[in-house]
Amino acid sequence: MAKARSRWTCQGCGFQTSGFLGRCTECGSWGSMVEEVSSLDSQSAFSKNVTRSVLSSDGQESTKPTLLQDLKASHSERIFTGIPGLDEVLGGGFVPGAVILLAGDPGIGKSTLLLQVARHVSAEKEVLYVAGEESAMQVKLRASRLNMQDSRVHVDTQQDSVKISETMQEFSNGVAIIDSIQSIFHRDITSAAGSVSQVRESAQIIINSAKAANIATILVGHVTKEGSIAGPRILEHMVDVVLHFEGDRTRQLRILRPNKNRFGSTSEIAIFSMTEGGLNEVGNPSEFLLGDRLNKMGSKQAPSGTAVIATGEGTRTLLLEVQALVSVTTYSAPRRLANGWDSNRLLQLIAVLEKKVGLGLARADIYVNIVGGIDIDDPAGDLGVGVAIATSLLDRSVDSSTIFIGEVGLTGEVRPVVMLEHRVKEAARLGFKRAIVPKCNLPINIRSKQMEVIGVETLTEALLIAMPGIDFSKSEKKKDDAVFAAAMQDKDFPLDMKPFM
Ligand code: TYD
Ligand code: MG
C-alpha cells in the first residue's frame, strides 16, 4: 500500500505545498490552505492503470505515435440530445468519449436539463445517471415531473469515484451523467468531497474511464459565489467542453453558453425557459426579455434611466433593457454597482460621461441593471448604458421605440460594432422605429421602411438625439447650468454635483 502523505492544498487555486502557509503564494488568498492526507502517489493510482489509447484505422490499440492520416475519425458520429439548441451549442450533439462540464448556480436547472437529455438518449443508447447529490427517490420524483417514468435510464447513487468508473465500463459507447462532480470522492484522499484534491482526482478517474470506454460523459459542476467552478479552473483544463448554465433563478429564462469547445464553435448559445414540465427552448428570447416594454412602444415615452440595447450573443441578437439609477451619495466614495454588466466598463463609461460629455457624476451613486438577469459583456451595449445613466441624472424620458447600439471609446467617440445589420434587423422585426448606431458602421442594408437608422460619431451626439433640447457644449455653459439646475431642482443635489460647476 502506498505511504500516506500529507499535503496542503489551496482551495482557491489548487496550489500544493508540503507545509502550512497562511497565505497562498500562488493566488495570494488568505487562510485557503487545507491539509489533505493522501495515499496516492503524485499521479493517481487509477490514472496509471488506464492508458489513453489511440485507435488506429485497423482498430488496433496503440500507445505509439500514429500518423494523423491513419487515425480513426470517430468524431463524425454524434449522439443527439433531443434538444436542438443544446446540439447546436455542442457543435452537433455529443461526441462519443467526450467529457463535458456543465457548470451553473445551484437550482438553475442542470439536473432537469440532463434528465431531459437522458430521456431522449436512452431510447437508443445506454445511459448511466449518477445521482451523487440526491437519493434515487428524489430522482424518480423529478423524472415523474418530466413525464419520463418509463425511460430506460440507469440511476446510481454511488459517490465513490473508483466504483463509478468501474460501473462506467458497462456503458461503453453510451452516455454517463455525473451529477455532481463535487459530490463524488476519492477513497484515498481524506479531505471532504468538493475540495480541490477530491474534485481533481475524482474527475481524472472518470475522464479516463470515459475515454477508455468511449462514453460521452457530462460532469455537473457547481459554481462558487465568485462565479468560478468550484474545484476551480483545474476542471476546465481537463474536459473537452465547458458549458455555463446562467440566468436568474427567480425568473424563468436560462442561457446555456459554451466557454470552451474542442468540437465546435463557442459562439452559439441556447435559451430556455423553466416551466412546470421542465426546460423548454425559447424561440423568441428578445420578446420574452423586453416583455411589457414592447407593448408600450409607440404610445408612451420610456421612463428616465432606461434604454434598449441590442447585444450579440454568438450568432444571435438579444434585445435587452438597461436600467440606471443616479442618486446623491451619502458615502465619502460614491457607490457604482453593475448587475449583469462589467463593473470596470461602467467606471470607464462614467469617466467618459464626466470628462467628455460634461455631466457631473462625481458625487453620485450609480446603479446599472440589465433586466432579465442576464450577464452580458458585449461592448456594443456602452451607448445604451451611457444614455440610461444620463437620462436618469437629468430625469428625462426617452422615446420608447429607439434602440442604441455602439461601443464608446475613452475619447467619447462611438466605435464600430460587429453584426450591426443583424442587430438593427432584429430591432425592426420587433417594431423599433429608430436605431442610433456608430456612423463608421454605415451604410447598412435595412429594407424595413419603418426603421430610421441614425449614425453618430460621439456619445454626446447620441445623447442630444435621445434628449433633444439639451445643450452639452461648454461654450453655452450658462444655459446648460440653467437646464441642469432645473432638472435637479427638487432633488437637493449638492452644488458641486451640477454639471460644469
Ligand atoms: P434543478 O435541475 O434541480 O437545478 P440544479 O440541478 O441546477 O441544482 O432545478 C431546480 C429548479 O427547477 C427547482 O427550483 C424546481 C425547478 N423545476 C421546475 O420549475 N420545473 C420542473 O419541471 C423541474 C423538474 C424543476
Ligand atoms: Mg442538481
Side-chain angles (χ1 to χ4, degrees), residues 294-313:
L294 275 184
N295 304 334
K296 286 183 186 152
M297 206 154 57
S299 58
K300 275 195 186 132
Q301 288 274 357
S304 68
T306 65
V308 178
I309 59 172
T311 163
E313 284 289 351

Side-chain angles (χ1 to χ4, degrees), residues 173-225:
N173 299 318
V175 171
I177 295 165
I178 314 293
D179 189 0
S180 66
I181 191 67
Q182 275 98 3
S183 64
I184 309 293
F185 67 91
H186 191 294
R187 56 178 83 152
D188 292 336
I189 299 174
T190 56
S191 58
S195 65
V196 173
S197 306
Q198 287 285 16
V199 167
R200 179 170 43 200
E201 291 300 336
S202 309
Q204 191 62 62
I205 290 178
I206 288 165
I207 291 169
N208 286 340
S209 298
K211 303 280 174 191
N214 208 30
I215 307 167
T217 304
I218 303 109
L219 305 176
V220 172
H222 291 300
V223 166
T224 60
K225 261 187 272 162

Side-chain angles (χ1 to χ4, degrees), residues 111 133-134 142 179 222:
S111 308
E133 283 180 357
E134 292 164 278
R142 192 197 306 263
D179 189 0
H222 291 300

